[in-house]
Amino acid sequence: MNNQLQDYNPSGIAEINGNLLGLPFDYDSANLIVFAVPWEVTVSYGAGTANGPQRILDASLQIDLFDFDHPDGWKQGIFMLEIPQDILEKNNYYRQEAAKIIERQAEGKALTDTPDLTSVLTAINQAGEQVNQWLFTQCQTAINQGKQVAVIGGDHSSPLGYFQALATKYENYGILHIDAHADLRDAYEEFEFSHASIMFNAMKIPQISKLVQVAIRDICQDEVDIINNSNERIIAYYEPTIKQKLYSGITWIDLCQEIISHLPENVYISFDVDGLDPKLCPHTGTPVPGGLELEQAYCLFRELVNSGRKIIGFDICEVGDAEWDGNVGARIVYKLANLLFLSQTKI
């Protein structure tokens, strides 16, 4: 235990030190390294999630460290690297470029019409690939040093490089995906790394053996077909089905255990906050009525840990640019961090 930690009072006032929760850790002393990916170039409805990491960081200073699931979890160490301003600047530029393509498509016109936007599309796809490669390199370096990793987006395209890094360590892992959307679009709006294509791209990674989706309630026929034809590699728990079962008297605990039964030993949690009731994160990019309560999501994650499975990483994406959304997002990050630590030590 370093001297800073010996002198640290977890019940005291959080220090504004650039780290999540004001915790007294650095890269070397922390067990969990958090990467911010302020990227939302392809968002097709509401913007602002590129500022989600900053909102979460700011709000985290107001959170008490006692956690009911893992009271001493913070001692494992959490360190968030500085939000990369170069990525945020590129995001702001390419977001404006992407808007031209989205507008052209909404008008029913070809990208090759005057002015030709095909080179703009190519540049956006290349920029997305560069962000993925940056994150892959950062995550792989941390993993190779024995660190756990978490990602804060940005839109839901943000964690793809982390998925790829985990595939270099784990021969087989599953994704527990909380979302209002299936995100199984093939290059939605022609953007290869669209926020609506993250799970389509994830399914290209052979080490991801199972994708279990929860709270899906806004989906297209092509995505339903992909799920139905996946040979149960993808399992979807649609919102209407979940609610109908709950209304009929099936308990949420029983349903959680059924959901978890589909997952392998090593599980990654991908949490799009629009999977929650919109009152919790109203400024998310694509809010949809319905969704989970926060404690419902936590209950699902607890049952995952109780099952003996290991949480090997997580992301939280689509947190809007507002104080309340940042508050909820920060609490999710801290809860997932503590449950990850707990799952790694639970026998």
Side-chain angles (χ1 to χ4, degrees):
M1 185 178 290
N2 60 43
N3 290 331
Q4 269 189 309
L5 196 54
Q6 286 179 332
D7 298 334
Y8 182 72
N9 177 11
S11 298
I13 298 171
E15 179 184 343
I16 302 175
N17 59 4
N19 193 18
L20 278 167
L21 304 146
L23 288 173
F25 297 96
D26 56 18
Y27 191 103
D28 292 332
S29 60
N31 185 41
L32 178 68
I33 304 301
V34 181
F35 294 103
V37 185
W39 191 256
E40 59 165 357
V41 168
T42 66
V43 293
S44 46
Y45 189 55
T49 60
N51 295 322
Q54 186 65 55
R55 286 293 189 173
I56 287 174
L57 177 61
D58 293 344
S60 71
L61 300 176
Q62 302 303 316
I63 296 176
D64 281 316
L65 293 181
F66 183 90
D67 180 81
F68 286 96
D69 293 296
H70 195 4
D72 290 330
W74 65 271
K75 293 181 180 179
Q76 296 289 320
I78 302 170
F79 178 70
M80 179 176 173
L81 278 80
E82 187 174 347
I83 298 170
Q85 293 304 303
D86 58 331
I87 290 179
L88 183 58
E89 289 171 7
K90 288 179 181 178
N91 167 79
N92 295 339
Y93 170 76
Y94 284 111
R95 173 78 196 101
Q96 294 178 336
E97 294 293 282
K100 299 175 185 177
I101 292 175
I102 294 170
E103 182 180 357
R104 179 73 62 84
Q105 292 177 332
E107 294 170 347
K109 299 177 181 178
L111 295 186
T112 51
D113 287 357
T114 304
D116 191 329
L117 295 177
T118 52
S119 62
V120 175
L121 177 63
T122 298
I124 290 170
N125 286 337
Q126 288 176 344
E129 176 58 40
Q130 289 169 0
V131 171
N132 293 337
Q133 186 58 49
W134 169 81
L135 184 61
F136 171 83
T137 301
Q138 295 291 324
C139 290
Q140 189 175 49
T141 298
I143 289 169
N144 288 343
Q145 293 179 22
K147 306 289 188 182
Q148 308 297 326
V149 173
V151 167
I152 301 175
D155 71 29
H156 210 164
S157 70
S158 300
L160 183 59
Y162 184 21
F163 294 174
Q164 294 164 339
L166 285 171
T168 67
K169 179 176 181 180
Y170 297 95
E171 295 181 359
N172 167 26
Y173 73 94
I175 296 178
L176 177 57
H177 175 206
I178 310 298
D179 206 321
H181 311 87
D183 290 347
L184 289 166
R185 305 262 194 166
D186 182 359
Y188 183 58
E189 296 179 324
E190 299 192 46
F191 300 120
E192 183 179 357
F193 304 109
S194 168
H195 66 102
S197 302
I198 179 63
M199 294 306 165
F200 183 89
N201 292 328
M203 291 294 91
K204 297 177 184 177
I205 302 172
Q207 290 87 347
I208 299 175
S209 60
K210 190 74 77 167
L211 170 63
V212 179
Q213 304 183 298
V214 180
I216 308 299
R217 55 195 186 277
D218 203 5
I219 191 169
C220 74
Q221 184 63 55
D222 285 350
E223 292 174 301
V224 172
D225 292 342
I226 287 173
I227 293 167
N228 291 343
N229 297 324
S230 71
N231 198 26
E232 295 195 342
R233 187 182 178 206
I234 307 173
I235 304 288
Y237 280 82
Y238 300 115
E239 167 89 357
T241 303
I242 289 174
K243 289 294 170 61
Q244 196 73 13
K245 288 184 176 182
L246 294 178
Y247 299 154
S248 71
I250 294 174
T251 70
W252 179 238
I253 288 282
D254 286 342
L255 200 47
C256 287
Q257 292 171 352
E258 179 188 323
I259 291 167
I260 290 160
S261 70
H262 298 291
L263 289 161
E265 177 186 358
N266 295 312
V267 180
Y268 177 97
I269 295 175
S270 191
F271 199 144
D272 184 327
V273 296
D274 70 29
L276 299 170
D277 186 304
K279 69 174 181 262
L280 293 164
C281 283
H283 299 91
T284 187
T286 46
V288 183
L292 301 177
E293 294 293 339
L294 193 55
E295 275 299 335
Q296 277 186 297
Y298 290 169
C299 178
L300 176 60
F301 303 151
R302 288 187 193 105
E303 288 303 307
L304 178 67
V305 175
N306 291 339
S307 75
R309 290 169 174 79
K310 287 186 171 57
I311 300 172
I312 61 171
F314 66 87
D315 66 69
I316 175 171
C317 296
E318 305 280 357
V319 171
D321 187 11
E323 184 176 355
W324 171 246
D325 300 59
N327 183 325
V328 174
R331 293 173 188 280
I332 294 170
V333 170
Y334 188 47
K335 175 61 72 177
L336 284 173
N338 282 321
L339 290 175
L340 180 150
F341 296 145
L342 192 62
S343 77
Q344 296 283 340
T345 58
K346 199 176 183 72
I347 298 176

